[in-house]
Amino acid sequence: MTANEQTSVSRVADREKLPLLLDKARQFAGEYIDSLEERPVFPGEKSLRAMHALVESLPENPSDPFLILDQLQEIGAPAVVTQTGGRYFGFVNGGILPVGLAARWMADVWDQNTAHYVMSPINSRLEEVCERWIVSLLGFPEETAAGFVSGTTIANFSGLCAGRNELLRRRGWDVARKGLYGAPKIRVLASDDAHAAVHKSISMLGLGSENVELVPVDDEGRMRADQMPKLDEAALVITQAGNVNSGAIDPVGPLCEHAHASGSWVHVDGAFGLWARVLPSMRKTCDGIEMADSWSLDAHKTLNVPYDSGIILCRRREALMSAFKASASYFKWSEHRDSMNFRPSMSARARVIELWAVLKTLGRQGVRRLIEQLCENARSFARLLSEQGFQIHNDVVFNQVLTSCADDALTRATLQNIQSSGECWCGGSTWHGRAVIRISVCDWATTPKQIERSVRAFVKARAIAAR
Ligand SMILES: *Cc1c(COP(=O)(O)O)cnc(C)c1O
């Protein structure tokens, strides 16, 4: 065999063997799914140490793809954080609904690039369908446009970019052409408890993180409408549906009335909490959110769609599309939806396929039930903890619970023991100056039994910490 034959791509990429390779991946996936109940939620020391075997120089020659999957199974699988087994309550992540996973596998095999309609008509049509479904589900204005992006960080960036550009356009300044040098000043107002992703977008948009006017919040972390500085046509107001600690929702409606009378733009960072819009019990709290100008939300958190699924919604279609204008002689526009006009990126996978599959499978009532279930589980988690003498620090209005032990040192030590127990996993935070354990219930797979199991892990972790 010549050297070229030995290293030829056809040796490692054999179409006839592809089904066998996929079968092997499926078999390993099945083993993973079967292990969910027993696995430690966070990998143990031994599994973490075993990853050292991956630190090697790039191999010179091709390897057998079947052996590569073996290595992933052997070293990768034990080092995985079990986020989908129902016992993971860290950050605000989210599980994965079976149909979303299966649809994603199909979409991955199709390997669609989705910049233009001509690259993937199926993606383009499903984006149109999902746009209408999401707008209807959330009760937003009929004309609202949606862009399908990688997550809420980019959705926030997109909404704020559209808002910044539109506010400047109204004042006779084309920021796409002229840039920010010499532009009329834009004011940015955000909650004192805004998510880090909001500040990241403000920096990326050249608006300057130091220029943000922070609006005070109440005890639950909601922006105080009565503390809002005087607004004007230069103001970009960033509100929040779902405080990242408490889950509380800003009074967006009253803020919008005030903001619109003065010509400001209101964006809602609704990553996980905007889904509260579908709950009849939250109708009053969420009233008026539909009056905002742009909204960002994640499908990969509360809706349990696989990762890489955020949505930017914008009342003025033209404002969103003009923010992402681009041209090149080889572009091929169609009379259908060219997805790159609705988002920052050009090439992207067909993430809307999983979103469509999940929405269609659940239907309107199923989405409502999923979100109700997360909230019910959060409430019962809080109730059981409180019965065991843990303090609860927030009104459990959505899926977030903030809890603590008698003092900060005991809380921190307890949290560390919980994290290393493998029984469940939660993160920490500070709330009104106190160390707290932050519980986020976002996985459809969480059962009442698993919550009881997790509460037992809390009690044991505290007992060990108190020794
Ligand atoms: C998660 C989250 C974000 C960031 O979203 P990604 O999907 O992780 O990019 C922004 N804002 C809030 C309130 C969040 O919870």
Side-chain angles (χ1 to χ4, degrees):
M1 218 185 299
T2 67
N4 265 348
E5 276 165 355
Q6 231 169 37
T7 57
S8 127
V9 174
S10 66
R11 284 196 66 224
V12 295
D14 178 344
R15 180 158 307 149
E16 276 174 24
K17 289 206 185 122
L18 176 58
L20 294 175
L21 199 61
L22 292 178
D23 280 348
K24 182 151 196 165
R26 206 193 83 106
Q27 181 208 321
F28 287 152
E31 288 172 22
Y32 180 77
I33 291 163
D34 288 342
S35 74
L36 286 175
E37 256 331 277
E38 288 81 45
R39 291 174 59 86
V41 176
F42 195 83
E45 271 307 315
K46 200 168 144 239
S47 308
L48 295 175
R49 264 199 313 274
M51 289 191 292
H52 285 317
L54 301 171
V55 184
E56 58 184 346
S57 35
L58 177 67
E60 202 53 48
N61 291 313
S63 317
D64 178 353
F66 288 87
L67 295 180
I68 298 297
L69 294 193
D70 283 338
Q71 201 181 22
L72 265 184
Q73 172 71 356
E74 188 193 318
I75 300 176
V80 161
V81 175
T82 313
Q83 296 190 34
T84 61
R87 293 180 285 131
Y88 186 85
F89 306 103
F91 303 95
V92 189
N93 283 2
I96 187 167
L97 283 160
V99 73
L101 173 59
R104 178 171 178 143
W105 280 17
M106 288 178 71
D108 281 346
V109 172
W110 296 344
D111 195 31
Q112 302 288 281
N113 191 342
T114 60
H116 291 273
Y117 173 84
V118 290
M119 289 177 176
S120 181
I122 179 65
N123 178 80
S124 175
R125 294 313 291 264
L126 288 181
E127 280 195 12
E128 285 167 358
V129 170
C130 286
E131 177 186 277
R132 292 301 90 209
W133 285 1
I134 297 277
V135 166
S136 147
L137 199 52
L138 297 174
F140 282 176
E142 191 58 34
E143 65 273 21
T144 303
F148 297 90
V149 297
S150 57
T152 289
T153 306
I154 300 302
N156 277 341
F157 174 83
S158 304
L160 296 176
C161 183
R164 178 197 69 178
N165 295 7
E166 174 66 13
L167 290 176
L168 287 171
R169 188 194 64 78
R170 289 178 197 160
R171 293 161 79 194
W173 188 267
D174 182 344
V175 69
R177 278 187 28 241
K178 296 185 176 171
L180 285 172
Y181 301 107
K185 188 164 164 35
I186 289 284
R187 292 172 62 203
V188 184
L189 298 98
S191 144
D192 200 11
D193 227 4
H195 194 276
V198 164
H199 294 286
K200 191 169 176 170
S201 291
I202 292 167
S203 319
M204 291 195 293
L205 285 163
L207 296 170
S209 55
E210 275 183 11
N211 299 328
V212 182
E213 298 172 50
L214 292 173
V215 183
V217 294
D218 67 13
D219 281 353
E220 293 296 321
R222 287 174 297 229
M223 203 184 231
R224 283 183 54 180
D226 62 336
Q227 296 281 315
M228 180 64 81
K230 198 168 159 16
L231 296 175
D232 53 35
E233 76 286 351
L236 192 52
V237 182
I238 307 165
T239 64
Q240 181 165 253
N243 178 289
V244 80
N245 281 310
S246 69
I249 292 173
D250 286 351
V252 181
L255 289 167
C256 281
E257 277 172 26
H258 182 45
H260 286 164
S262 53
S264 323
W265 179 286
V266 179
H267 175 77
V268 182
D269 175 1
F272 67 98
L274 189 53
W275 293 102
R277 276 285 285 192
V278 308
L279 300 181
S281 60
M282 295 287 274
R283 194 160 290 146
K284 238 181 112 205
T285 311
C286 294
D287 198 34
I289 289 182
E290 73 284 355
M291 285 155 54
D293 299 281
S294 55
W295 308 261
S296 48
L297 116 133
D298 269 327
H300 59 213
K301 290 182 179 170
T302 318
L303 193 61
N304 282 224
V305 167
Y307 285 109
D308 181 39
S309 193
I311 305 164
I312 173 62
L313 293 145
C314 187
R315 176 193 291 273
R316 289 173 193 75
R317 185 169 296 266
E318 195 39 47
L320 184 65
M321 294 180 72
S322 67
F324 303 125
K325 252 201 232 115
S327 60
S329 56
Y330 65 87
F331 280 1
K332 177 86 179 85
W333 303 119
S334 81
E335 67 232 43
H336 300 286
R337 184 185 174 96
D338 292 301
S339 306
M340 63 172 270
N341 288 334
F342 295 80
R343 65 184 187 214
S345 67
M346 295 188 183
S347 298
R349 54 182 295 277
R351 53 173 72 96
V352 77
I353 291 175
E354 306 90 86
L355 175 60
W356 173 84
V358 163
L359 287 173
K360 172 120 178 170
T361 304
L362 290 175
R364 197 183 293 272
Q365 296 308 324
V367 172
R368 203 200 75 210
R369 261 316 289 154
L370 166 68
I371 294 156
E372 268 172 1
Q373 181 186 311
L374 302 177
C375 299
E376 283 162 13
N377 281 335
R379 284 195 297 271
S380 74
F381 210 140
R383 184 172 45 76
L384 293 174
L385 283 173
S386 150
E387 284 169 15
Q388 294 297 332
F390 286 88
Q391 288 177 38
I392 304 300
H393 293 267
N394 64 320
D395 281 347
V396 184
V397 290
F398 200 56
N399 68 327
Q400 301 290 111
V401 181
L402 302 175
T403 189
S404 76
C405 307
D407 61 65
D408 286 1
L410 186 59
T411 301
R412 290 199 187 98
T414 301
L415 176 59
Q416 204 152 45
N417 292 341
I418 291 168
Q419 291 179 343
S420 56
S421 73
E423 286 293 289
C424 66
W425 203 93
C426 307
S429 190
T430 46
W431 187 246
H432 299 306
R434 291 280 309 271
V436 291
I437 300 171
R438 180 165 166 255
I439 299 166
S440 182
V441 184
C442 335
D443 185 357
W444 69 271
T446 299
T447 61
K449 267 209 164 64
Q450 286 178 319
I451 290 177
E452 288 164 22
R453 178 174 170 182
S454 302
V455 171
R456 282 197 300 276
F458 270 64
V459 171
K460 189 170 167 197
R462 182 181 55 187
I464 297 170
R467 265 181 209 153

